[in-house]
Amino acid sequence: MQHSKIVGGSTAKRVLNCPGSVALVAQMPPQAENKFMADGTALHSAVDLLVNDGDASAYSLLGKTFNGVVLDEDHCEKLKTALALLDEVDPLEQMTFNTETRVGFGDLLPGVFGSTDLIGRIANRAIVLDWKFGDGVAVTAEQNEQLMFYAAAAMRTPSAAWAFDGATEIECVIVQPPMVRRWVTTPERIRQFERDLVQAVKQSSLPDARLMAGDHCRFCTAKPICPEMTGAADRAIAVKIDNLDKNLISDYLKNADLLETWITSLRELALSMLESGARLPDYKLVAKRAIRQWTDEDKAKVALFALGLKESEVLETSVISPAKAEKALKKRKIALPVDVVVAVSSGNTLASVDDPRPEVLLLGKQLARLFKLQ
Ligand code: SF4
């Protein structure tokens, strides 16, 4: 799929918040497709096929190849759930829709375009829908810049504008199995979004375009060379951790979250540069630690027995993990029995206050502190 070099749906949030990122991203090599991206592209193609062929079932695609990915049962289950969630959006099958439509802003913003997963219309409501098949980050529909980008661009695209013509509501929908998230807004909100986008794109062409770090940096490929990030790194290195107050430590943790994504991106970039033959001072490619393995397990067993080792010394048996058992049972459509499994945490970890996991209660320590205070 072709992407806009200035801003598209998936980069709208970044460019709105950080117009200076456009010039920096343009200096970076194209991002190599990883397994998760390949999976996502395959599932998008598969769900598009299913939506346009009302008779095909998700499991009819089992074993079929999309974008080089052979669909397995997990993929088919996701597709099946996605279709069921689409039924929630259009329970009476009233929707007129188009899929995979290229939309753009024409002369208003030359070179700014994107591709919508699905644009539809039910009565006075226009619908913009995006499939998300990643499990990592839950994507919200409310004020979602990607969906507002598609709505605004579609309103200016002759082949897509029909869905918005005379509509009084615009519904933004994220279908991310097992959830569907929906947000209804107005054409005026989308026009306001478009005005903000025009300002950001104009900003982005200035030599001193604003750079601003935030959660939109997550997928920015310019992190390794971004002054906001490298500045944050310099500041963090200069920090002395003695006598820091609690608020300051929280601020540094937010900085650390940004730095972690920056470090990951920097390592990925350096690795892909070295793998493509570039030289980096002080660094080189080496093979990962080699782990010895038997060239032929049966021959190894014979050799070890011949050397006098007993069967109990040579062979190990252990029960498969609950995760592997659950996967094996799922194929037989059987649930893992709950009374044979216990979840044991390997320890505590840091999380921000809005993390959905419950806070660990250290009752002993908290009570001891309470008594000390009295
Ligand atoms: S890493 Fe963040 S601050 Fe830097 S260019 Fe990208 S979006 Fe902007």
Side-chain angles (χ1 to χ4, degrees), residues 28-34 37 218-221 223 265 268 272:
M28 303 304 289
Q31 211 182 359
E33 189 177 59
N34 61 31
M37 291 153 92
R218 188 183 180 94
F219 298 110
C220 177
T221 54
K223 280 198 288 292
S265 295
E268 283 170 2
S272 71

Side-chain angles (χ1 to χ4, degrees), residues 7-304:
V7 56
S10 60
T11 53
K13 180 174 180 179
R14 166 171 58 77
V15 174
L16 280 162
N17 286 286
C18 179
S21 65
V22 175
L24 287 181
V25 168
Q27 297 173 37
M28 303 304 289
Q31 211 182 359
E33 189 177 59
N34 61 31
K35 180 192 172 304
F36 302 107
M37 291 153 92
D39 255 30
T41 306
L43 286 166
H44 269 80
S45 303
V47 81
D48 187 61
L49 188 149
L50 293 170
V51 167
N52 285 295
D53 177 355
D55 296 332
S57 74
Y59 275 86
S60 69
L61 302 185
L62 185 65
K64 299 253 165 45
T65 304
F66 292 84
N67 188 41
V69 176
V70 180
L71 298 192
D72 62 17
E73 292 202 16
D74 287 345
H75 292 125
C76 292
E77 201 53 40
K78 269 192 182 171
L79 291 169
K80 190 175 150 192
T81 311
L83 292 179
L85 294 170
L86 179 61
D87 288 344
E88 283 185 29
V89 178
D90 182 25
L92 303 176
E93 299 195 5
Q94 295 170 313
M95 182 161 58
T96 314
F97 65 86
N98 270 352
T99 61
E100 293 295 334
T101 312
R102 182 175 155 135
V103 291
F105 291 85
D107 293 341
L108 180 69
L109 290 172
V112 175
F113 59 88
S115 175
T116 62
D117 288 345
L118 186 147
I119 283 181
R121 177 72 178 255
I122 302 176
N124 65 338
R125 179 176 294 188
I127 292 165
V128 190
L129 181 146
D130 204 57
W131 308 106
K132 298 279 181 211
F133 291 105
D135 300 318
V137 181
V139 182
T140 55
E142 192 166 344
Q143 306 288 350
N144 181 302
E145 290 85 353
Q146 184 172 11
L147 292 170
M148 287 195 279
F149 177 97
Y150 293 143
M155 287 162 85
R156 289 194 176 267
T157 303
S159 61
W162 61 267
F164 299 83
D165 193 17
T168 54
E169 295 180 336
I170 295 172
E171 181 169 19
C172 296
V173 183
I174 295 285
V175 174
Q176 185 176 25
M179 298 289 290
V180 57
R181 299 180 187 87
R182 306 169 66 173
W183 175 57
V184 177
T185 187
T186 60
E188 179 45 39
R189 172 68 187 96
I190 301 301
R191 281 191 279 273
Q192 178 58 48
F193 171 87
E194 184 182 84
R195 288 192 283 275
D196 294 344
L197 187 71
V198 169
Q199 284 306 315
V201 171
K202 273 193 192 151
Q203 249 288 315
S204 74
S205 62
L206 302 176
D208 59 346
R210 189 181 77 243
L211 289 171
M212 196 180 78
D215 63 354
H216 51 271
C217 298
R218 188 183 180 94
F219 298 110
C220 177
T221 54
K223 280 198 288 292
I225 59 164
C226 169
E228 283 293 299
M229 291 284 165
T230 52
D234 291 345
R235 284 194 296 279
I237 289 163
V239 161
K240 293 201 176 9
I241 57 169
D242 298 344
N243 304 322
L244 294 177
D245 68 32
K246 293 187 189 73
N247 291 333
L248 212 48
I249 289 171
S250 286
D251 287 344
Y252 288 141
L253 280 173
K254 284 175 201 146
N255 225 6
D257 289 342
L258 274 176
L259 283 171
E260 272 168 8
T261 59
W262 176 75
I263 290 165
T264 304
S265 295
L266 178 69
R267 289 212 167 102
E268 283 170 2
L269 175 68
L271 185 65
S272 71
M273 287 171 79
L274 289 172
E275 281 178 338
S276 68
R279 308 289 301 170
L280 286 179
D282 304 328
Y283 284 87
K284 63 181 179 184
L285 273 184
V286 294
K288 286 185 177 169
R289 186 168 71 91
I291 298 171
R292 289 181 303 163
Q293 53 191 12
W294 301 116
T295 49
D296 181 324
E297 286 201 357
D298 290 333
K299 280 190 191 157
K301 269 190 268 176
V302 172
L304 294 173

